[in-house]
Amino acid sequence: MRDIIVFIAGVASVLLLRIYIAPDLHASNIHEHVRVLSATVSNSLSNSISSQRASSERSKATTTATTTATTTTPPSPKCDNTWKENFLYDSNDPFAASLGKGLHYLCITETKTDTILQITPFINAVETDPPNPIFAAASAESLADNLSSRVGSRERRGRDYILYDGNGEKLFTETELQTENFSVVSSTLSQAGLVLLFEGGVFIWPGVKVGHQRNVSIIGSEHENGPSILTLETLTLRPLLFAVKEQFVSDEECDHIQDRSRPHMKQSGVSLMDKDKGKAATEWRTSSTYFLRTGSDEVLRTVDRRVESLTMIEKNHQEQIQVLNYGPTQKYDGHHDYFDPKMYASDKHTMDLIKSGRRNRVATVFFYLSEVKGGGETMFFRANGKAQPRNLADCSPENGHKVKPKKGKVIIFYSLDFAGKVDPYSLHGGCPVLDGEKWSGNKWIWNEPMHFSEYN
Ligand SMILES: O=C(O)CCC(=O)C(=O)O
Ligand SMILES: [Fe+2]
């Protein structure tokens, strides 16, 4: 049933996309920019986001649920202190509850039978003193009611939340949780032990604290026989910004992406807000760009898979990579990668694309595809909660957090928060290249399947 729903939703969105955005998907500016565990649980969130694996895990869970329907499940060992270090925000941080807002953990503390769940919730990803009260659920309705009383009603949130297990496997959407047989729900959640609830309906890495490192298991590294383990380090909590410590894209892959794009590079566009209609994109962005379609290119397919496992978000949420080239002095002033519905109210094309705000870019995986001799950093102007800057082109180091380019490096930053709301702190730009040239690329990821690859 779930697969059928996904399929129907997929077909429907493909049809919509054909109607609304196919004519200029790659040509117009609609996909251009909006201006304006060293100590980890290495086996936790060991990622296997591929839909085949996810569905096989699901059917395993379902099978187990059926066969253990009358047996007793032991209390979960998964919510111990190790997971707290790797998932919870520090309750001493005065911003903890706001940093984790919209992300909740459910620890299955005790399960007398697999039809009664006893749950300790960690609301907004912090541990409170005294702890949030434990609750028990014996039916889909009581579970749904209990969760709603803690995370708010669906009407208020405007979308389905989504549940993942501690290995990053998708378990249930809110609707599935309510429509699935309760003994399957109960058994699946008990086996998971630790459940992550994202109000915004999409997986987002918790930052935990600056400098936190976690291991992520990556599928799609050609040279490996199995998944390779990479380290994701938290650079800033606000905005939520991470860097992969190891080289993510090989030198050969970087060269391949450059070579394929070079003949097609054109002056970059921006998606103009209502107030900026009539202005030239070069007022903010002077680089060249090209949307490089993955198609049947094995190198790009591998990179897309790698991004999928890095972000835990399925490939069909990805746009084609937007390759960027900057020569000396070229830059991109401060902007957001999300589309703020308030800024596009009279732009029907964009409003349709973002379903008036329900759909948006959730994450940017940003690739550095060359070394840069001087300048060309990515600047996060509002890092650590800074006020909106007056000058969106001032890359002085004291004005924010700067990331230095390095060939093959990637960073991830999130444009939406855990609750699915746009994050104004994600304001960022590309500082002018001072010496040499800069090749880089945007891999934008949406909070819903978009099937952009259908247009290959
Ligand atoms: O070039 C950079 O460092 C950032 C570019 C960017 O933010 C964009 O193209 O959206
Ligand atoms: Fe950007």
Side-chain angles (χ1 to χ4, degrees), residues 230-285:
L230 297 181
T231 319
L232 192 62
E233 177 170 359
T234 306
L235 298 184
T236 60
L237 293 173
R238 177 171 273 165
L240 196 46
L241 167 66
F242 299 89
V244 174
K245 284 190 74 93
E246 298 82 2
Q247 180 166 11
F248 188 80
V249 189
S250 70
D251 285 355
E252 298 72 32
E253 289 165 339
C254 291
D255 295 343
H256 175 83
I257 295 172
Q258 285 184 34
D259 292 344
R260 277 210 53 199
S261 309
R262 193 171 286 107
H264 308 286
M265 300 302 289
K266 294 224 164 52
Q267 166 66 53
S268 305
V270 299
S271 192
L272 292 170
M273 295 181 189
D274 295 344
K275 69 181 175 59
D276 293 326
K277 285 275 158 25
K279 294 188 181 167
T282 45
E283 289 196 27
W284 306 282
R285 192 182 198 193

Side-chain angles (χ1 to χ4, degrees), residues 337-338 361-364 413-417 421-423 426:
D337 285 358
Y338 60 74
R361 289 177 177 149
V362 56
T364 302
F413 56 93
Y414 290 92
S415 288
L416 301 185
D417 63 17
K421 303 270 186 317
V422 296
D423 179 8
S426 63

Side-chain angles (χ1 to χ4, degrees), residues 33 332 335-337 413 428 442 444:
H33 261 150
Y332 189 2
H335 62 278
H336 296 112
D337 285 358
F413 56 93
H428 64 281
N442 285 297
W444 285 305

Side-chain angles (χ1 to χ4, degrees), residues 397-449:
E398 65 278 11
N399 286 355
H401 183 99
K402 268 180 164 182
V403 178
K404 233 172 114 55
K406 185 175 184 347
K407 190 171 183 178
K409 168 174 167 169
V410 303
I411 54 173
I412 308 178
F413 56 93
Y414 290 92
S415 288
L416 301 185
D417 63 17
F418 298 114
K421 303 270 186 317
V422 296
D423 179 8
Y425 291 99
S426 63
L427 186 76
H428 64 281
C431 299
V433 168
L434 302 175
D435 191 7
E437 66 170 344
K438 169 180 169 188
W439 284 90
S440 53
N442 285 297
K443 186 54 129 167
W444 285 305
I445 299 172
W446 287 70
N447 60 348
E448 283 186 9

Side-chain angles (χ1 to χ4, degrees), residues 57-118:
E57 292 293 322
R58 287 267 298 152
S59 53
K60 240 193 287 165
T62 311
T63 314
T64 319
T66 320
T67 54
T68 60
T70 54
T71 59
T72 301
T73 314
S76 165
K78 300 203 178 134
C79 295
D80 58 11
N81 285 332
T82 325
W83 82 263
K84 289 185 182 171
E85 285 164 21
N86 288 291
F87 291 101
L88 291 184
Y89 283 83
D90 181 356
S91 55
N92 295 320
D93 183 330
F95 298 112
S98 72
L99 290 170
K101 198 164 182 323
L103 168 62
H104 316 289
Y105 296 112
L106 308 176
C107 266
I108 314 302
T109 42
E110 202 188 330
T111 317
K112 296 209 170 64
T113 75
D114 68 353
T115 51
I116 298 179
L117 286 169
Q118 192 160 295

